[in-house]
Amino acid sequence: MATRVTRKARGAGEAPSVERIGLHNLAPAPGSHRNRKRLGRGPGSGTGKTSGKGHKGIKARSGHHGPGGGKPQFEGGQMPITRRLPKRGFTNIFRVENQVVAFDDLARLPKGSEVTEETLAEAGLIRRGKGPAKLLANGEVAKGITVRGVKMSAGARQKIEAAGGRVEI
């Protein structure tokens, strides 16, 4: 951590007091920070009236050229690709994307704990708020596990019950 000696301590003949650098005493280097250019603030500012864009023309218009480029879909007057390509299909706004959890991953849960969405999230197997979890029958299942409130495939349900576990909805 960087430290600095205060002026008061330097002038006196005593030992220098060290002050830690923090957000409360930071300042930019002299000359490194400029004020922004204020456009369109009258003739005395030097950038009044046309705000440094000259007269008319495409570069004087709003939304074109300048910093960051032009309009995102503008192709110089050519028919844009979004209009040239045919449109097919649709996006189902009600689609539910499940977070897949395999039996092999359940080894990361503490021994004897029941499998719920909360325990899966605490173990880092799923992320909260990213859709429901779904158990798949990949790998071997531990003996006698209890699954509560988690979706699963039919094969996963059979394996859990065959190993002496319980499935609660």
Side-chain angles (χ1 to χ4, degrees):
M1 172 83 21
T3 56
R4 68 178 185 169
V5 179
T6 58
R7 262 186 258 164
K8 183 190 250 184
R10 258 188 260 139
E14 61 202 49
S17 68
V18 178
E19 183 181 0
R20 292 179 69 140
I21 292 179
L23 291 177
H24 66 285
N25 57 11
L26 285 180
S32 68
H33 184 77
R34 280 180 161 172
N35 293 335
R36 67 183 179 87
K37 186 189 278 191
R38 297 182 69 226
L39 301 176
R41 293 295 182 270
S45 68
T47 51
K49 196 182 169 199
T50 54
S51 300
K53 289 175 175 264
H55 290 280
K56 300 185 182 177
I58 193 64
K59 291 185 179 174
R61 310 295 185 207
S62 66
H64 273 278
H65 302 285
K71 289 185 175 175
Q73 286 82 29
F74 188 68
E75 298 181 21
Q78 165 179 296
M79 184 63 66
I81 194 165
T82 52
R83 292 185 61 195
R84 291 197 306 266
L85 293 178
K87 314 302 187 274
R88 297 230 8 185
F90 77 105
T91 301
N92 182 3
I93 61 171
F94 299 107
R95 178 188 168 105
V96 175
E97 195 76 34
N98 293 315
Q99 298 185 70
V100 176
V101 179
F103 279 155
D104 295 336
D105 299 331
L106 295 181
R108 288 173 38 190
L109 290 175
K111 292 271 186 206
S113 67
E114 62 182 32
V115 179
T116 63
E117 294 229 354
E118 289 76 32
T119 57
L120 291 173
E122 287 169 13
L125 296 173
I126 64 169
R127 294 178 65 187
R128 287 188 172 92
K130 293 285 184 183
K134 184 169 185 176
L135 277 177
L136 297 186
N138 301 351
E140 294 302 314
V141 63
K143 290 204 182 295
I145 65 168
T146 303
V147 180
R148 180 173 288 133
V150 178
K151 293 170 73 170
M152 66 189 72
S153 64
R157 181 182 292 268
Q158 289 172 355
K159 276 191 175 182
I160 290 169
E161 289 170 351
R166 288 199 337 258
V167 177
E168 300 174 8
I169 296 170

